[in-house]
Amino acid sequence: MHQQLILPTMGCGTWAWGNRLLWGYDESMDSQLQAVFNLCVSNGVTLFDTGDSYGTGRLNGRSETLLGRFTREYGGAGKEDICIATKLAAYPWRLTRQSMVKAGKSSAQRLGRNVDLVQMHWSTANYAPWQEGVLLDGLADLYEQGFVKGVGLSNYGPKRLQWVHKRFTERGVPIATLQVQYSLLSTYPVTQLRLKDVCDELGIKLIAYSPLALGILTGKYSEKELPKGIRGLLFRQLLPKIQPLLLCLREIAQSRNKTMSQVALNWCICKGTIPIPGAKTIEQAKENIGALGWQLDANEIAELDRAAASVDKQMVQNIFQTQ
């Protein structure tokens, strides 16, 4: 019998935990990250999303190693609910079922425990469709052999999702989750691709990654005040075009006595998805947790939907997102 996968209302993304390039990670941050982890778990944010490709250069796999350590050292409430979800990369040199099984076992080794939810990081349908079948078979093998509680996908569109679903159903392997970039600035997967409807039909939970659009929806940035590096370049292009959306977020946040981030995350929850915002500091984690325990009303959601639809510049879509 497979153990049940228990998913909370909101999770925590750990892309930044080990990424120097985009997020400026440094090993001196580790004790702060442990505090973030503890705060999340004790507040019911028990899903941690990582990937075996996370971590820059020699820090490859760093995020998984940290999560393993944090889980072991955590002694508070909710420990048994901790759900570690990792994504296995469809690297060009992973060409067999066995390579995926091996990757899953390497992740488990870094974590010092089994992975709860194993996910295909992206589909190779856009550039090497012949590679994908065996990699998916390897994921299903991990499930069949009892190494994981559930299997999920990432960056899949409805056509490809239905193809995988059919393939897995023949083996009796359920798809637990699908994770896509979804936020007020990236409504494409749900509005254009109708992914939420397909997921509901197939009994799959939709996980929203980058629910704060790399931080631009927090309202902390302006054209005078930009983050460093790649994000700064992207935000400089986006900010002038998304002002009506930010204004709408700000007004709702003020009337609710919440922050803009909390409203943006609550919107994702109201849409029936599990958002997984990242957090590198206690302040960020506290702010994310403040999105729980209340709900936007139908009028506020409609207002945000309208503001999101009127923005002519959306977030850059993941290049691996398939139809």
Side-chain angles (χ1 to χ4, degrees):
M1 264 304 286
H2 270 89
Q3 282 176 286
Q4 207 45 45
L5 191 67
I6 296 169
L7 297 169
T9 310
M10 186 168 76
C12 178
T14 64
W15 182 20
W17 301 11
N19 184 301
R20 282 213 172 113
L21 207 63
L22 195 67
W23 299 107
Y25 167 79
D26 179 311
E27 282 158 57
S28 66
M29 294 176 179
D30 290 356
S31 59
Q32 179 181 292
L33 294 175
Q34 169 89 62
V36 166
F37 179 90
N38 297 352
L39 184 71
C40 285
V41 178
S42 59
N43 281 279
V45 177
T46 48
L47 168 69
F48 293 87
D49 182 74
T50 182
D52 69 350
S53 61
Y54 286 179
T56 312
R58 66 175 183 82
L59 294 174
N60 215 358
R62 179 74 180 174
S63 171
E64 290 179 330
T65 308
L66 289 173
L67 278 170
R69 188 199 311 166
F70 298 164
T71 304
R72 279 191 299 280
E73 289 174 14
Y74 178 76
K79 185 167 175 127
E80 57 295 329
D81 299 327
I82 294 172
C83 178
I84 309 274
T86 202
K87 297 182 293 298
L88 303 180
Y91 290 132
W93 57 86
R94 285 185 177 160
L95 294 168
T96 60
R97 294 167 80 138
Q98 203 42 46
S99 64
M100 278 313 246
V101 173
K102 212 169 109 192
K105 289 179 177 173
S106 299
S107 287
Q109 230 163 356
R110 282 189 289 274
L111 285 165
R113 71 195 282 276
N114 276 352
V115 175
D116 297 299
L117 174 65
V118 73
Q119 307 157 95
M120 181 82 161
H121 204 150
W122 64 83
S123 164
T124 62
N126 291 346
Y127 61 94
W130 50 268
Q131 186 189 2
E132 193 169 19
V134 289
L135 299 185
L136 289 164
D137 290 342
L139 276 195
D141 291 343
L142 282 165
Y143 179 80
E144 276 184 355
Q145 292 164 20
F147 286 110
V148 298
K149 292 180 190 170
V151 175
L153 304 171
S154 177
N155 299 311
Y156 276 67
K159 287 196 187 99
R160 209 64 186 161
L161 172 61
Q162 282 163 322
W163 175 77
V164 181
H165 184 262
K166 191 171 168 299
R167 195 179 177 104
F168 277 8
T169 304
E170 284 162 12
R171 286 185 67 177
V173 175
I175 300 173
T177 56
L178 168 65
Q179 148 167 184
V180 290
Q181 177 179 229
Y182 182 59
S183 71
L184 280 161
L185 265 187
S186 174
T187 56
Y188 169 79
V190 173
T191 47
Q192 267 99 321
L193 293 179
R194 320 254 358 126
L195 260 178
K196 182 73 176 68
D197 303 341
V198 179
C199 284
D200 289 349
E201 216 173 287
L202 302 176
I204 297 168
K205 269 305 239 186
L206 197 59
I207 294 175
Y209 76 74
S210 213
L212 298 173
L214 299 180
I216 202 167
L217 294 175
T218 60
K220 288 173 192 157
Y221 302 103
S222 66
E223 288 169 79
K224 290 186 193 72
E225 179 93 8
L226 292 164
K228 287 194 279 287
I230 307 169
R231 286 196 306 149
L233 299 173
L234 178 66
F235 288 9
R236 180 173 284 128
Q237 292 177 341
L238 284 171
L239 279 164
K241 301 189 163 110
I242 66 165
Q243 288 311 313
L245 173 60
L246 293 179
L247 192 67
C248 178
L249 262 177
R250 189 167 283 119
E251 282 172 1
I252 292 174
Q254 281 166 348
S255 74
R256 280 272 180 180
N257 210 3
K258 303 283 178 204
T259 66
M260 288 166 71
S261 296
Q262 288 163 350
V263 173
L265 292 172
N266 196 280
W267 176 86
C268 289
I269 294 167
C270 289
K271 293 288 180 183
T273 70
I274 301 172
I276 49 167
K280 281 191 302 186
T281 65
I282 282 287
E283 293 74 51
Q284 288 171 346
K286 278 188 179 141
E287 190 168 353
N288 293 346
I289 289 160
L292 297 171
W294 59 282
Q295 252 184 339
L296 291 162
D297 65 38
N299 289 340
E300 292 166 322
I301 294 168
E303 245 174 89
L304 287 165
D305 286 349
R306 271 196 300 276
S310 68
V311 167
D312 65 354
K313 186 94 177 114
Q314 293 254 325
M315 276 301 280
V316 183
Q317 287 301 307
N318 191 305
I319 51 165
F320 293 120
Q321 174 66 47
T322 56
Q323 289 298 312

